[in-house]
Amino acid sequence: STQSRSSAASDVYKRQTPYHVTIACLILLMGLTSCHRESPNPPVNLLIIYPDQMRGQAMGFLGLEHVKTPHLDQFASQSLVLNQAVSNYPICSPTRASFMTGQYPQSHGVWSNCNSLSSPFNYELPTDAQCWSDVLKEKGYDTGYIGKWHLDNPRVPYIDVKNNQGRVKWNEWTPPDRRHGFDFWYAYGTYDYHNRPMYWSNEAPRDSFHFVDQWGPEHETDLAIAYLKNKENKFRDANKPFALMVSMNPPHMPYDLVPEKYKSLYDQVPLDSLVQFPNIPDEGTKWGDYYRKNIKNYYAMISGVDDQLGRIMATLKSQGLEKNTLVLFASDHGNCLGIHDEISKNNHYEESMRIPFLIRWPEHIQPRIDDLLISTPDFAPTLLGLMGFHEDIPPGTDGTDYSNLFLTGDGERPNSQLFMSVNVGKEALGARGVRTHRYTLMIQKDLDKQDQVELFDNQKDPFQLNNLSEKQIEIRKTLTKELEGWLVKTKDPWL
């Protein structure tokens, strides 16, 4: 396991400056001591910080992009960093359902984003789904959810808010019987006006949402801090362990909706220094100009989220909760931002699939970098395993419990990760693929056209510019067989 971690660090950092190589090596060397697996006593708290549309490469400590994330950099030095974590279906609702249930869309049924286009097909989180929050509620946890949910379909009459006034309706209230064990609820479906977000609080009925004149992540962090401090037990039962998820919308578009104090961090950064990657389209093209227009604000949003992480971690420390709280920082998917002529996500490229995954538990999880090919459905069973609830992982779970590997560095590792994208109402069509440590294979199926196949060697061609599908036939065959294994396992109608 030490050998694999060393190899992983070498692969990721080989193109970085000596400064970042030094930091990476320090993080790695801190993690060479194995831990013994044991159930936590007293019960461990859980805190999840989950920004939307944050690509896994956009963290300062990696040295891959010029984004400023001082709090994440510090957090990484104290965490297990999984630098090959991916979103298997990189759009919001399917991934969020996979995180909550530990299942792939073939099992949980959320085949596309929850909106008025997919609503006729009932693509929403089932009421009877067994989520990690349901399990923790049954185990005596006090549970809380703050921010974006996006797992319920909008219904008539539509909520009268801006993003329900266009051709496609997006936002919906989540009734109490669909909150999957969360006691404290302060959330919305999906609403992208970050400087004036809207929420439903615990007891609010469908027509009693409210707006807040504050940047969404900052407001949600204020509330998370109040939840952690829990003055006069107003937010939770202080005699119970807690599980809190803070789901921030930024760095989701529109990118200009971010406070000036974060924008100003990039005022003096030359734009040319942010467009060095060869897969960014040229200036003067639609998507090349889109990238150049938005990249500073995208980074500003990430820096803003980073600032909120710092505030939350400082509160954990000041409240004496730091050592007994398991903290996960992750995202639902990445963002191309125009790279490969893609507006953001829902594709097989690295910028879309790769996500942050940093998990911290002092004295239990040793800080290190690991190249485990973890996927979103693995998150729920692994968290439950770490918290001592191995026997309570729901029987319908598709993902793998990697808790022992997190604690010791040892254990079986997958050879690949599934990729998928679905045509609304046509689950047997769309794209499927696999990603390994070296390759990405994608096959796009359409009834009226010949299959489109793309194959990239991500080691020799990290920016995925050269399609090898007609040149590396044997590799293509091997990866197609690997994909078929995934499709059989998940009972995918695409097969």
Side-chain angles (χ1 to χ4, degrees):
S1 62
T2 298
Q3 205 169 33
S4 68
R5 290 195 293 270
S6 298
S7 174
S10 175
D11 289 344
V12 172
Y13 295 102
K14 62 186 178 183
R15 296 187 302 277
Q16 298 175 15
T17 65
Y19 171 77
H20 288 99
V21 171
T22 301
I23 291 179
C25 291
L26 286 173
I27 295 173
L28 179 64
L29 290 171
M30 291 170 66
L32 298 184
T33 304
S34 293
C35 303
H36 295 289
R37 182 178 182 176
E38 57 185 25
S39 296
N41 188 19
V44 61
N45 303 310
L46 175 64
L47 174 60
I48 299 168
I49 302 169
Y50 199 66
D52 191 343
Q53 205 164 285
M54 180 173 168
R55 63 187 181 215
Q57 300 89 333
M59 297 183 285
F61 71 92
L62 291 176
L64 300 173
E65 301 193 35
H66 296 293
V67 59
K68 300 177 182 181
T69 57
H71 299 289
L72 264 171
D73 299 350
Q74 181 180 13
F75 187 76
S77 71
Q78 303 164 350
S79 302
L80 168 60
V81 179
L82 300 184
N83 55 31
Q84 300 297 317
V86 303
S87 171
N88 308 93
Y89 186 172
I91 59 175
C92 288
S93 300
T95 297
R96 289 166 182 271
S98 289
F99 184 2
M100 294 305 302
T101 64
Q103 297 176 326
Y104 288 92
Q106 297 89 330
S107 296
H108 60 59
V110 186
W111 287 94
S112 188
N113 267 337
C114 295
N115 58 37
S116 58
L117 298 180
S118 64
S119 183
F121 303 98
N122 200 32
Y123 294 163
E124 63 180 356
L125 184 63
T127 305
D128 61 357
Q130 287 296 300
C131 299
W132 56 262
S133 50
D134 293 308
V135 174
L136 294 183
K137 173 67 174 176
E138 292 172 2
K139 291 297 177 182
Y141 274 69
D142 204 300
T143 55
Y145 195 96
I146 299 172
K148 179 175 179 175
W149 178 246
H150 202 184
L151 286 169
D152 294 287
N153 283 324
R155 63 184 189 272
V156 178
Y158 297 117
I159 303 294
D160 186 17
V161 290
K162 288 183 179 179
N163 65 340
N164 280 353
Q165 294 170 358
R167 183 179 68 89
V168 181
K169 322 300 181 186
W170 290 90
N171 201 10
E172 186 52 81
W173 175 65
T174 301
D177 65 344
R178 292 186 52 79
R179 295 176 186 173
H180 289 279
F182 286 108
D183 302 297
F184 179 80
W185 185 263
Y186 190 87
Y188 58 94
T190 180
Y191 191 74
D192 296 330
Y193 297 86
H194 311 310
N195 288 337
R196 194 169 189 263
M198 52 91 62
Y199 303 91
W200 282 274
S201 55
N202 259 41
E203 307 300 328
R206 187 171 186 255
D207 60 355
S208 294
F209 53 88
H210 67 278
F211 295 91
V212 177
D213 290 315
Q214 188 179 10
W215 194 51
E218 187 176 69
H219 177 66
E220 291 150 16
T221 298
D222 286 349
L223 194 60
I225 289 172
Y227 181 95
L228 295 173
K229 290 183 176 180
N230 195 31
K231 290 183 179 179
E232 299 178 0
N233 290 343
K234 288 183 178 180
F235 293 89
R236 57 186 172 86
D237 185 343
N239 295 315
K240 294 181 178 180
F242 67 81
L244 175 65
M245 184 163 180
V246 185
S247 178
M248 304 174 184
N249 203 346
H252 191 283
M253 60 186 70
Y255 306 109
D256 61 325
L257 300 183
V258 57
E260 289 297 327
K261 62 181 176 181
Y262 301 123
K263 290 183 180 181
S264 66
L265 295 173
Y266 298 90
D267 283 347
Q268 304 304 315
V269 178
L271 180 60
D272 287 350
S273 69
L274 306 181
V275 289
Q276 297 296 316
F277 303 146
N279 56 3
I280 300 172
D282 292 338
E283 188 174 5
T285 64
K286 176 181 178 180
W287 295 113
D289 290 348
Y290 182 85
Y291 192 94
R292 288 164 177 80
K293 176 183 176 182
N294 291 300
I295 184 59
K296 284 192 177 184
N297 286 338
Y298 180 64
Y299 284 169
M301 282 188 164
I302 292 174
S303 293
V305 168
D306 176 80
D307 199 23
Q308 310 317 312
L309 170 67
R311 295 176 61 209
I312 291 172
M313 295 306 296
T315 302
L316 278 181
K317 185 174 183 179
S318 69
Q319 298 301 304
L321 298 168
E322 188 177 31
K323 288 190 176 181
N324 199 41
T325 301
L326 183 64
V327 182
L328 170 63
F329 184 95
S331 183
D332 54 354
H333 51 74
N335 189 353
C336 286
L337 203 72
I339 288 174
H340 291 294
D341 296 327
E342 295 282 352
I343 186 171
S344 58
K345 63 267 189 180
N346 202 15
N347 59 69
H348 58 291
Y349 297 116
E350 287 288 277
E351 292 81 6
S352 176
M353 289 188 71
R354 288 264 300 280
I355 56 175
F357 188 102
L358 300 84
I359 190 163
R360 177 186 185 275
W361 189 12
E363 301 177 8
H364 293 270
I365 296 178
Q366 293 297 311
R368 64 191 188 276
I369 297 170
D370 196 295
D371 68 349
L372 174 70
L373 295 176
I374 195 169
S375 297
T376 307
D378 303 323
F379 296 2
T382 299
L383 289 174
L384 291 174
L386 286 169
M387 299 171 79
F389 302 124
H390 315 280
E391 303 301 321
D392 302 289
I393 295 171
T397 299
D398 297 325
T400 300
D401 172 9
Y402 288 114
S403 57
N404 188 61
L405 191 150
F406 278 30
L407 295 170
T408 70
D410 297 324
E412 292 188 12
R413 295 166 177 262
N415 297 317
S416 63
Q417 298 153 310
L418 177 67
F419 164 76
M420 60 185 297
S421 177
V422 174
N423 299 351
V424 174
K426 299 177 181 178
E427 294 88 357
L429 299 180
R432 303 293 189 273
V434 287
R435 179 184 181 277
T436 70
H437 280 114
R438 180 162 184 175
Y439 296 102
T440 296
L441 171 74
M442 185 281 297
I443 304 174
Q444 176 80 36
K445 187 195 298 187
D446 190 307
L447 284 178
D448 301 324
K449 300 177 183 177
Q450 185 176 1
D451 290 355
Q452 173 191 347
V453 183
E454 293 188 8
L455 172 65
F456 297 105
D457 184 334
N458 298 326
Q459 288 185 8
K460 293 183 177 180
D461 178 26
F463 298 103
Q464 297 176 308
L465 297 172
N466 303 307
N467 182 5
L468 304 175
S469 62
E470 299 301 325
K471 298 177 182 179
Q472 299 286 356
I473 302 301
E474 290 305 314
I475 292 173
R476 173 175 163 177
K477 288 180 179 178
T478 299
L479 293 176
T480 300
K481 187 174 182 180
E482 179 80 8
L483 172 59
E484 289 174 354
W486 276 107
L487 300 178
V488 170
K489 177 183 177 181
T490 57
K491 300 179 181 178
D492 194 322
W494 192 91
L495 185 58

mmCIF file with all atom_site columns, all heavy atoms in Angstrom, residues 74 101 142 170 187 239 319 403 419:
data_model
loop_
_atom_site.group_PDB
_atom_site.id
_atom_site.type_symbol
_atom_site.label_atom_id
_atom_site.label_alt_id
_atom_site.label_comp_id
_atom_site.label_asym_id
_atom_site.label_entity_id
_atom_site.label_seq_id
_atom_site.pdbx_PDB_ins_code
_atom_site.Cartn_x
_atom_site.Cartn_y
_atom_site.Cartn_z
_atom_site.occupancy
_atom_site.B_iso_or_equiv
_atom_site.pdbx_formal_charge
_atom_site.auth_seq_id
_atom_site.auth_comp_id
_atom_site.auth_asym_id
_atom_site.auth_atom_id
_atom_site.pdbx_PDB_model_num
ATOM 1  N N   . GLN A 1 74  ? -4.597  23.606 3.953   1.00 0.00 ? 74  GLN A N   1
ATOM 2  C CA  . GLN A 1 74  ? -4.325  23.157 5.322   1.00 0.00 ? 74  GLN A CA  1
ATOM 3  C C   . GLN A 1 74  ? -5.120  21.889 5.636   1.00 0.00 ? 74  GLN A C   1
ATOM 4  O O   . GLN A 1 74  ? -4.608  20.951 6.241   1.00 0.00 ? 74  GLN A O   1
ATOM 5  C CB  . GLN A 1 74  ? -4.673  24.261 6.314   1.00 0.00 ? 74  GLN A CB  1
ATOM 6  C CG  . GLN A 1 74  ? -4.403  23.871 7.772   1.00 0.00 ? 74  GLN A CG  1
ATOM 7  C CD  . GLN A 1 74  ? -4.752  24.981 8.740   1.00 0.00 ? 74  GLN A CD  1
ATOM 8  O OE1 . GLN A 1 74  ? -5.415  25.946 8.384   1.00 0.00 ? 74  GLN A OE1 1
ATOM 9  N NE2 . GLN A 1 74  ? -4.317  24.840 9.980   1.00 0.00 ? 74  GLN A NE2 1
ATOM 10 N N   . THR A 1 101 ? -27.697 7.258  -1.349  1.00 0.00 ? 101 THR A N   1
ATOM 11 C CA  . THR A 1 101 ? -28.126 5.856  -1.283  1.00 0.00 ? 101 THR A CA  1
ATOM 12 C C   . THR A 1 101 ? -27.006 4.842  -1.386  1.00 0.00 ? 101 THR A C   1
ATOM 13 O O   . THR A 1 101 ? -27.196 3.683  -1.013  1.00 0.00 ? 101 THR A O   1
ATOM 14 C CB  . THR A 1 101 ? -29.118 5.548  -2.408  1.00 0.00 ? 101 THR A CB  1
ATOM 15 O OG1 . THR A 1 101 ? -28.444 5.698  -3.677  1.00 0.00 ? 101 THR A OG1 1
ATOM 16 C CG2 . THR A 1 101 ? -30.327 6.473  -2.354  1.00 0.00 ? 101 THR A CG2 1
ATOM 17 N N   . ASP A 1 142 ? -28.640 12.909 15.708  1.00 0.00 ? 142 ASP A N   1
ATOM 18 C CA  . ASP A 1 142 ? -29.388 14.109 15.370  1.00 0.00 ? 142 ASP A CA  1
ATOM 19 C C   . ASP A 1 142 ? -28.838 14.583 14.027  1.00 0.00 ? 142 ASP A C   1
ATOM 20 O O   . ASP A 1 142 ? -27.633 14.778 13.884  1.00 0.00 ? 142 ASP A O   1
ATOM 21 C CB  . ASP A 1 142 ? -29.197 15.187 16.440  1.00 0.00 ? 142 ASP A CB  1
ATOM 22 C CG  . ASP A 1 142 ? -30.346 16.169 16.455  1.00 0.00 ? 142 ASP A CG  1
ATOM 23 O OD1 . ASP A 1 142 ? -30.564 16.817 15.423  1.00 0.00 ? 142 ASP A OD1 1
ATOM 24 O OD2 . ASP A 1 142 ? -31.035 16.274 17.490  1.00 0.00 ? 142 ASP A OD2 1
ATOM 25 N N   . TRP A 1 170 ? -37.434 23.983 -12.362 1.00 0.00 ? 170 TRP A N   1
ATOM 26 C CA  . TRP A 1 170 ? -36.371 23.312 -11.619 1.00 0.00 ? 170 TRP A CA  1
ATOM 27 C C   . TRP A 1 170 ? -36.642 23.126 -10.127 1.00 0.00 ? 170 TRP A C   1
ATOM 28 O O   . TRP A 1 170 ? -36.259 22.114 -9.553  1.00 0.00 ? 170 TRP A O   1
ATOM 29 C CB  . TRP A 1 170 ? -35.070 24.103 -11.774 1.00 0.00 ? 170 TRP A CB  1
ATOM 30 C CG  . TRP A 1 170 ? -34.485 24.031 -13.132 1.00 0.00 ? 170 TRP A CG  1
ATOM 31 C CD1 . TRP A 1 170 ? -34.729 24.880 -14.188 1.00 0.00 ? 170 TRP A CD1 1
ATOM 32 C CD2 . TRP A 1 170 ? -33.567 23.055 -13.633 1.00 0.00 ? 170 TRP A CD2 1
ATOM 33 N NE1 . TRP A 1 170 ? -34.012 24.495 -15.286 1.00 0.00 ? 170 TRP A NE1 1
ATOM 34 C CE2 . TRP A 1 170 ? -33.281 23.378 -14.982 1.00 0.00 ? 170 TRP A CE2 1
ATOM 35 C CE3 . TRP A 1 170 ? -32.950 21.945 -13.049 1.00 0.00 ? 170 TRP A CE3 1
ATOM 36 C CZ2 . TRP A 1 170 ? -32.416 22.623 -15.749 1.00 0.00 ? 170 TRP A CZ2 1
ATOM 37 C CZ3 . TRP A 1 170 ? -32.078 21.198 -13.825 1.00 0.00 ? 170 TRP A CZ3 1
ATOM 38 C CH2 . TRP A 1 170 ? -31.817 21.532 -15.166 1.00 0.00 ? 170 TRP A CH2 1
ATOM 39 N N   . ALA A 1 187 ? -33.385 24.217 3.478   1.00 0.00 ? 187 ALA A N   1
ATOM 40 C CA  . ALA A 1 187 ? -32.926 23.794 2.166   1.00 0.00 ? 187 ALA A CA  1
ATOM 41 C C   . ALA A 1 187 ? -33.848 24.300 1.056   1.00 0.00 ? 187 ALA A C   1
ATOM 42 O O   . ALA A 1 187 ? -34.878 24.940 1.297   1.00 0.00 ? 187 ALA A O   1
ATOM 43 C CB  . ALA A 1 187 ? -32.840 22.269 2.122   1.00 0.00 ? 187 ALA A CB  1
ATOM 44 N N   . ASN A 1 239 ? -27.235 15.822 23.565  1.00 0.00 ? 239 ASN A N   1
ATOM 45 C CA  . ASN A 1 239 ? -26.909 14.517 24.131  1.00 0.00 ? 239 ASN A CA  1
ATOM 46 C C   . ASN A 1 239 ? -26.727 13.441 23.062  1.00 0.00 ? 239 ASN A C   1
ATOM 47 O O   . ASN A 1 239 ? -26.409 12.298 23.387  1.00 0.00 ? 239 ASN A O   1
ATOM 48 C CB  . ASN A 1 239 ? -28.007 14.082 25.109  1.00 0.00 ? 239 ASN A CB  1
ATOM 49 C CG  . ASN A 1 239 ? -28.087 14.999 26.313  1.00 0.00 ? 239 ASN A CG  1
ATOM 50 O OD1 . ASN A 1 239 ? -27.066 15.351 26.901  1.00 0.00 ? 239 ASN A OD1 1
ATOM 51 N ND2 . ASN A 1 239 ? -29.300 15.407 26.671  1.00 0.00 ? 239 ASN A ND2 1
ATOM 52 N N   . GLN A 1 319 ? -15.235 24.747 19.568  1.00 0.00 ? 319 GLN A N   1
ATOM 53 C CA  . GLN A 1 319 ? -16.288 24.063 20.320  1.00 0.00 ? 319 GLN A CA  1
ATOM 54 C C   . GLN A 1 319 ? -15.830 22.714 20.874  1.00 0.00 ? 319 GLN A C   1
ATOM 55 O O   . GLN A 1 319 ? -16.637 21.968 21.448  1.00 0.00 ? 319 GLN A O   1
ATOM 56 C CB  . GLN A 1 319 ? -17.516 23.859 19.425  1.00 0.00 ? 319 GLN A CB  1
ATOM 57 C CG  . GLN A 1 319 ? -18.151 25.154 18.938  1.00 0.00 ? 319 GLN A CG  1
ATOM 58 C CD  . GLN A 1 319 ? -18.602 26.027 20.086  1.00 0.00 ? 319 GLN A CD  1
ATOM 59 O OE1 . GLN A 1 319 ? -19.378 25.613 20.936  1.00 0.00 ? 319 GLN A OE1 1
ATOM 60 N NE2 . GLN A 1 319 ? -18.104 27.264 20.120  1.00 0.00 ? 319 GLN A NE2 1
ATOM 61 N N   . SER A 1 403 ? -13.888 1.584  4.221   1.00 0.00 ? 403 SER A N   1
ATOM 62 C CA  . SER A 1 403 ? -13.478 2.136  5.510   1.00 0.00 ? 403 SER A CA  1
ATOM 63 C C   . SER A 1 403 ? -12.170 1.528  5.995   1.00 0.00 ? 403 SER A C   1
ATOM 64 O O   . SER A 1 403 ? -11.317 2.241  6.545   1.00 0.00 ? 403 SER A O   1
ATOM 65 C CB  . SER A 1 403 ? -14.586 1.953  6.547   1.00 0.00 ? 403 SER A CB  1
ATOM 66 O OG  . SER A 1 403 ? -14.942 0.593  6.701   1.00 0.00 ? 403 SER A OG  1
ATOM 67 N N   . PHE A 1 419 ? -18.612 5.252  -16.082 1.00 0.00 ? 419 PHE A N   1
ATOM 68 C CA  . PHE A 1 419 ? -19.119 6.547  -16.541 1.00 0.00 ? 419 PHE A CA  1
ATOM 69 C C   . PHE A 1 419 ? -20.446 6.320  -17.239 1.00 0.00 ? 419 PHE A C   1
ATOM 70 O O   . PHE A 1 419 ? -20.626 5.328  -17.957 1.00 0.00 ? 419 PHE A O   1
ATOM 71 C CB  . PHE A 1 419 ? -18.152 7.230  -17.516 1.00 0.00 ? 419 PHE A CB  1
ATOM 72 C CG  . PHE A 1 419 ? -18.808 8.352  -18.286 1.00 0.00 ? 419 PHE A CG  1
ATOM 73 C CD1 . PHE A 1 419 ? -19.064 9.570  -17.674 1.00 0.00 ? 419 PHE A CD1 1
ATOM 74 C CD2 . PHE A 1 419 ? -19.214 8.177  -19.605 1.00 0.00 ? 419 PHE A CD2 1
ATOM 75 C CE1 . PHE A 1 419 ? -19.701 10.595 -18.361 1.00 0.00 ? 419 PHE A CE1 1
ATOM 76 C CE2 . PHE A 1 419 ? -19.851 9.192  -20.298 1.00 0.00 ? 419 PHE A CE2 1
ATOM 77 C CZ  . PHE A 1 419 ? -20.098 10.408 -19.682 1.00 0.00 ? 419 PHE A CZ  1
#
